[in-house]
Structure formats: structure tokens, C-alpha cells
Amino acid sequence: MALTPALAGMIIDGTNPTTIWLFAAWVLCYCVQFTAARWFKSRFAHRYAPPVAVYTVLLAAVGLPFVIIHPTTLWWAPLYAILATLSFVAAWLRRERTLWGNAVAILASCTMAIVVSSFGTHAANAQYPMLANGGLPAATVFFLTQFGSVLFVKTMIRERGKRGYLWASWIWHGALLAAAFGLWGLLGFGRLFSMPAIVCLWLLARAIAMPPIARRRSIKPIAVGLVEMMSSLSVFAAVLLTF
């Protein structure tokens, strides 16, 4: 889920060596954040320091030359500095699984669809590449569906049985389905069921059907994870086919 937005951004507006390079740098950014967050959460336990150091060196080796050649990337530095700080604060407070902690991580990963696509082959010829590509709508779809995934997973595991989370998940996914039908109509397509609408229908169905089942019988977290992996891949396919 953390990498699919950037991967979609790389594909949507034309893959080239620059987008592949940036995608590789983002993978290393994710590795640095993942290991550093655990380092902060453990109050700087020694066992987490080596992977943080290794990934940081690799990121510097891959990322610094990219920034030197493409200095416009630094326009995104303030946003990601804020998101990284919030991420590490959440890890230090051991609150990375809260809604705001999840939202920070999702926003960071989904925004990469815009960043990567702005260097795509098709966007490179536009006057305003940040806006003249499919990265922005793709990032929006990824953010909305991934935050919905957070709500759904909480109804299955950490917040199972809590009506507030259950209703929040149902309302969120219902709104996504309504938006998918509305967007398809605004785009001028006549077919009732678009790929985004079908995917959103599936997301709503699993959000409604699975929590009651989990209350009657135990569903292992790995099963929930497999369902969300399938859901994430479905959203990824819908984004590529739509934008």
C-alpha cells in the first residue's frame, strides 16, 4: 500500500529513467522511515541503529544526485519534512496506529503519485507538470481508499465491536461508492458500472459483511491482510485503467 501510489504515478504519465530513479529513491525513503520509526519507538535501542544507518547511506547515495540534477524536487521538501516529523513523533509516543498516525503515513505515500508522475514522459512537456497529469486524481483516490482500509481493519482487529468505528467505516465506503458513480457521470461515460465503481462496491461490501462475521467467529489478522492486499491491488488496477 505504501508503494502502489508512487508506482502508479510512474506508469500513468509515462515511465522513463527519471521516474524509475525517483521511485527507487522513494523505496529507500520508506525503508529509512520504517526502520527509524522503530528506532524511535524503542527509545533508540541499539539493534535498530544499524539498519537505519545502512538505509540512510543508501538513500543519500541514490537521492542526493537526483536532487542535484532535479532541484525542483525540493518544492516538496517542506511537506515531507512535516510528515516525517509527525511520523517520528507518533512512533516516539507509540501512537503510529492511531487515525492521525495512519493519516500521516497515507498522505506521505499517496502524494508520491503526484511527485513521480510530474517527471513522467507526458508531463515533462506540460507548462505546469504538477497539475497537467494524472498524479493528482490518482493520489486522491489512493488516499481515500487507503484511509477507508484503515477504518475497515480497525473494525476487524483493534477496534472490533465498537459501533463508532463500524459506522465510520460504512459511511466512508458508502461515500466512496457514491463519489465513484458521480465522477463517472461527470466524465461523460454512459455505462452504469465503471471500474472505480466496481472496486468501491467491493470495498463497501467487505466493510459491511466481514465485521459481523468477525464478531461471531475468529478471523486471523493474516486473513484480513490478504483481503486488503487484494483490495489494494484492485484499487491500483482501477487507477491505471481510469487515469
Side-chain angles (χ1 to χ4, degrees), residues 170-227:
W170 289 353
I171 292 171
W172 187 274
H173 287 95
L176 283 181
L177 180 60
F181 277 113
L183 175 62
W184 199 245
L186 289 174
L187 291 176
F189 295 96
R191 288 178 296 172
L192 179 61
F193 288 102
S194 64
M195 181 64 175
I198 292 173
V199 171
C200 288
L201 184 61
W202 153 251
L203 296 179
L204 176 61
R206 66 91 160 85
I208 292 175
M210 290 187 65
I213 296 174
R215 294 185 67 177
R216 292 193 298 268
R217 54 178 299 181
S218 177
I219 298 180
K220 294 182 178 180
I222 189 172
V224 179
L226 289 174
V227 169

Side-chain angles (χ1 to χ4, degrees), residues 227-239:
V227 169
E228 287 313 276
M229 181 183 297
M230 183 178 69
S231 300
S232 180
L233 292 175
S234 299
V235 172
F236 179 72
V239 166

Side-chain angles (χ1 to χ4, degrees), residues 24-234:
W26 172 243
V27 172
L28 290 172
C29 278
Y30 173 77
C31 293
V32 170
Q33 187 280 332
F34 185 86
T35 54
R38 274 132 195 84
W39 191 42
F40 277 95
K41 185 176 181 178
S42 68
R43 301 298 190 267
F44 307 120
H46 178 73
R47 67 181 181 276
Y48 292 109
V52 173
V54 170
Y55 283 125
T56 300
V57 170
L58 290 174
L59 175 60
V62 173
L64 284 179
F66 186 92
V67 172
I68 293 171
I69 297 173
H70 303 283
T72 55
T73 313
L74 292 175
W75 282 106
W76 296 98
L79 172 63
Y80 276 91
I82 293 171
L83 294 176
T85 300
L86 290 174
S87 172
F88 294 140
V89 168
W92 179 264
L93 298 175
R94 298 177 179 175
R95 303 283 290 174
E96 69 271 26
R97 298 299 182 183
T98 60
L99 287 179
W100 71 267
N102 288 134
V104 167
I106 292 171
L107 182 59
S109 65
C110 293
T111 303
M112 283 304 298
I114 308 174
V115 181
V116 176
S117 67
S118 67
F119 289 94
T121 303
H122 306 310
N125 298 322
Q127 185 177 3
Y128 302 103
M130 296 294 180
L131 302 177
N133 55 55
L136 180 58
T140 302
V141 170
F142 277 118
F143 180 83
L144 294 175
T145 54
Q146 290 190 8
F147 191 77
S149 177
V150 168
L151 292 174
F152 164 69
V153 171
K154 286 188 180 298
T155 66
M156 297 294 295
I157 302 175
R158 291 176 178 269
E159 310 297 340
R160 185 173 59 182
K162 294 187 178 179
R163 292 184 177 273
Y165 277 92
L166 193 61
W167 278 105
S169 176
W170 289 353
I171 292 171
W172 187 274
H173 287 95
L176 283 181
L177 180 60
F181 277 113
L183 175 62
W184 199 245
L186 289 174
L187 291 176
F189 295 96
R191 288 178 296 172
L192 179 61
F193 288 102
S194 64
M195 181 64 175
I198 292 173
V199 171
C200 288
L201 184 61
W202 153 251
L203 296 179
L204 176 61
R206 66 91 160 85
I208 292 175
M210 290 187 65
I213 296 174
R215 294 185 67 177
R216 292 193 298 268
R217 54 178 299 181
S218 177
I219 298 180
K220 294 182 178 180
I222 189 172
V224 179
L226 289 174
V227 169
E228 287 313 276
M229 181 183 297
M230 183 178 69
S231 300
S232 180
L233 292 175
S234 299

